[in-house]
Amino acid sequence: MTYRVGKYTLPEYSVLMSVYDRELPENLNESLESMLMQSYPPSDFVLVCDGKLTCELNIIVKSFQDEFKHIFHIVQIDENVGVGKAYNEGIKACKCDYIVKMDSDDISLPNRCLKQMTLFAVKPKLDIIGTYVEEFDTDTDEVVSVKKVPVMHKDIASYSKRRNPFNRQSVAFRKSFAEKIGGYSDLKMCEDYEFIARMLQHGAKGQNIPEVLVRYRIDENTVDTRKSWEHTKAFIRVRWIIHRSGYTGFRDFFMPCALQFGLFIFPRKFTRWVYRTFLRK
């Protein structure tokens, strides 16, 4: 079905989501519903099951598959392979050149895809589009912060030297460009930043919509996870990979790694203050 906004015909799009057995059924249900009930609905929905799911999760998946069987496609991976490899299998299965990525526990606002596809129609040279993200407490539904990112490509390119210039929960991108650069890496963590940096390094054009269009769940353990040694190692490793590729200078590599290492060392209370004060708006 052709969908128009003014003089522009919007491109059709696929939704790409990956889920594994630790997801909460109620979160998956809300996430799926938020994408399948968009004001401009998807033409294709690819759900990658990264390993065997629980009985409860399978019930949720089956209910949506039955209701949206004309567009809902499942890619089943027998063993958990990690987000990067799961996304690559999903990208192969997507039928449209525009892919809207969605995490299995986030919530997209009803006009998210309409606004992203409208921007793709108005600016057909764009390859990546993101949005602002609202972080909310999963227990109280209280808004904790809004993560703002650079809007225009020039600022995105500069920002990307040290941090991901797109909120990973909000990204939409061209399948053809992603395939041209080899898709996602097999990193276990921080794979989204490496993917975006490689897209930009190879000439992708990006823009962010300066509006909250995705809600992202956090809880009291979120900051602890991000200051953990496992996350710190992954944080440093991905920036070293990007630096070795020639995309960033040594200063761009060193400064964010030093900050992350400081967050790892300092007490939890200080870490939470830095995270809320400087890393979010």
Side-chain angles (χ1 to χ4, degrees):
M1 180 179 71
T2 301
Y3 197 102
R4 296 182 63 86
V5 173
K7 66 179 181 179
Y8 297 100
T9 300
L10 303 194
E12 295 184 340
Y13 68 94
S14 299
V15 173
L16 173 60
M17 181 187 292
S18 173
V19 63
Y20 76 132
D21 63 0
R22 294 187 185 179
E23 188 58 83
L24 295 176
E26 57 269 29
N27 290 353
L28 177 62
N29 184 80
E30 195 169 9
S31 181
L32 286 168
E33 189 173 76
S34 76
M35 289 305 289
L36 287 161
M37 302 303 290
Q38 286 285 302
S39 59
Y40 175 41
S43 300
D44 177 43
F45 196 110
V46 174
L47 177 67
V48 182
C49 298
D50 187 11
K52 303 294 184 183
L53 302 184
T54 64
C55 178
E56 293 82 2
L57 289 171
N58 278 320
I59 290 172
I60 299 296
V61 171
K62 184 66 165 59
S63 67
F64 280 94
Q65 186 181 32
D66 289 345
E67 185 174 356
F68 297 94
K69 53 190 168 190
H70 58 296
I71 65 167
F72 199 90
H73 308 289
I74 296 173
V75 175
Q76 180 64 58
I77 301 175
D78 291 336
E79 296 183 4
N80 182 267
V81 296
V83 175
K85 289 183 178 180
Y87 280 151
N88 285 338
E89 292 302 312
I91 288 171
K92 292 177 191 175
C94 287
K95 296 180 179 180
C96 303
D97 191 40
Y98 292 95
I99 296 176
V100 177
K101 201 162 78 64
M102 182 63 180
D103 283 357
S104 60
D105 60 348
D106 296 331
I107 303 167
S108 285
L109 299 190
N111 286 336
R112 173 194 171 183
C113 296
L114 171 65
K115 293 187 176 185
Q116 287 185 296
M117 292 306 119
T118 298
L119 188 54
F120 273 128
V122 173
K123 296 187 173 182
K125 292 185 179 181
L126 289 176
D127 304 294
I128 317 168
I129 293 175
T131 77
Y132 289 175
V133 166
E134 178 182 271
E135 297 179 323
F136 71 99
D137 189 300
T138 192
D139 296 321
T140 66
D141 202 46
E142 176 188 357
V143 175
V144 176
S145 64
V146 172
K147 186 181 177 187
K148 297 181 179 181
V149 281
V151 174
M152 303 308 293
H153 178 75
K154 180 179 178 182
D155 297 322
I156 286 170
S158 176
Y159 191 92
S160 71
K161 302 293 184 178
R162 297 190 179 185
R163 295 179 66 189
N164 192 340
F166 294 94
N167 289 314
R168 62 177 177 79
Q169 304 87 354
S170 73
V171 166
F173 59 87
R174 286 183 186 270
K175 173 180 177 176
S176 53
F177 205 109
E179 290 181 326
K180 183 174 75 172
I181 66 161
Y184 281 81
S185 71
D186 60 358
L187 292 169
K188 295 297 183 183
M189 299 177 71
C190 303
E191 71 288 331
D192 289 283
Y193 178 34
E194 193 276 337
F195 173 72
I196 290 297
R198 200 154 24 91
M199 290 271 282
L200 294 171
Q201 186 177 18
H202 284 80
K205 302 299 181 184
Q207 188 168 326
N208 280 301
I209 298 172
E211 182 180 347
V212 170
L213 293 174
V214 177
R215 304 190 75 216
Y216 170 54
R217 299 177 191 276
I218 64 172
D219 57 34
E220 61 179 10
N221 297 318
T222 300
V223 173
D224 291 338
T225 299
R226 291 170 179 171
K227 79 183 291 294
S228 68
W229 179 234
E230 183 181 12
H231 178 78
T232 299
K233 286 191 297 182
F235 184 100
I236 294 172
R237 182 188 179 199
V238 73
R239 280 157 180 78
W240 181 245
I241 290 171
I242 293 169
H243 172 63
R244 288 291 301 272
S245 75
Y247 186 63
T248 62
F250 183 76
R251 189 179 179 85
D252 295 318
F253 160 74
F254 178 78
M255 293 301 290
C257 290
L259 175 60
Q260 175 62 33
F261 195 72
L263 294 179
F264 167 69
I265 292 174
F266 285 112
R268 182 175 187 267
K269 186 176 181 180
F270 177 80
T271 300
R272 291 176 68 87
W273 176 78
V274 170
Y275 181 79
R276 297 274 181 89
T277 305
F278 297 104
L279 301 183
R280 295 292 183 271
K281 295 183 180 180

